[in-house]
DNA sequence: GCCAACGTTGGC
DNA sequence: GCCAACGTTGGC
């Protein structure tokens, strides 16, 4: 089993939104970065655990835990010309973009903020805190996962 | 709102 | 294949 971190802007889709979805499951659409796509398509497995991260908001940070409930399948929002993630280069018979389903597990007792994650030398290797990183999906090692949870 | 960092596009 | 221009991300 692997661990991940996935970013979402809470104004678009927050941990509370996930908790309120039917069965507390939602598809993770809109990823349009090849590196992130490859991780979702090739490496994410049902049962993998995910830190749910709120980006582009007042207090960026990890707010909850989710799990992968369905492995990669074509991101149908890429086929919809009215969708803001539309990509005419992705065809139903030859999809370019993929998504997974994530299921709510729990919220953290508090937000573990980006600024405190940056302060921890134990997390120097975490892509999230590396300069200039923009990946919206990234791997987390088991050691990093355990350490971050110990901060809760 | 600003802007640094980075990915993508497309002319050559 | 190079690289300038452009668009996006996302912290601040």
């Amino acid at each position: 089993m692997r661990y991940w971190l996935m970013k979402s802007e809470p104004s678009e889709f927050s941990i509370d939104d996930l908790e309120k979805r039917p069965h507390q499951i939602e598809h993770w659409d809109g990823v349009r970065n090849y590196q992130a796509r490859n991780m979702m398509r090739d490496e994410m497995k049902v049962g993998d655990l995910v830190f749910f991260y709120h980006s582009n908001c007042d207090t960026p940070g990890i707010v909850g835990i989710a799990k992968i409930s369905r492995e990669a399948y074509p991101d149908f929002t890429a086929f919809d010309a009215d969708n803001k993630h539309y990509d005419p280069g992705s065809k139903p018979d030859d999809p370019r973009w993929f998504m997974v389903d994530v299921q709510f597990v729990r919220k953290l007792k508090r937000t573990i903020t980006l600024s405190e994650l940056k302060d921890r030398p134990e997390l120097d290797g975490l892509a999230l805190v590396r300069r200039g990183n923009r990946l919206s999906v990234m791997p987390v090692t088991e050691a990093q996962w355990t350490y971050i949870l110990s901060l809760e």
Side-chain angles (χ1 to χ4, degrees), chain A residues 117-148:
Chain A
L117 294 172
K118 283 180 169 173
D119 282 344
R120 304 290 181 162
E122 292 87 347
L123 299 176
D124 281 352
L126 183 65
L128 182 74
V129 300
R130 284 210 299 265
R131 175 183 165 85
N133 172 72
R134 284 170 27 188
L135 274 180
S136 62
V137 175
M138 69 188 73
V140 175
T141 68
E142 183 170 15
Q144 289 164 344
W145 180 275
T146 303
Y147 179 73
I148 290 168

Side-chain angles (χ1 to χ4, degrees), chain A residues 108-123:
Chain A
L108 298 190
K109 297 181 205 111
R110 65 180 191 88
T111 300
I112 301 176
T113 65
L114 176 62
S115 68
E116 68 185 296
L117 294 172
K118 283 180 169 173
D119 282 344
R120 304 290 181 162
E122 292 87 347
L123 299 176

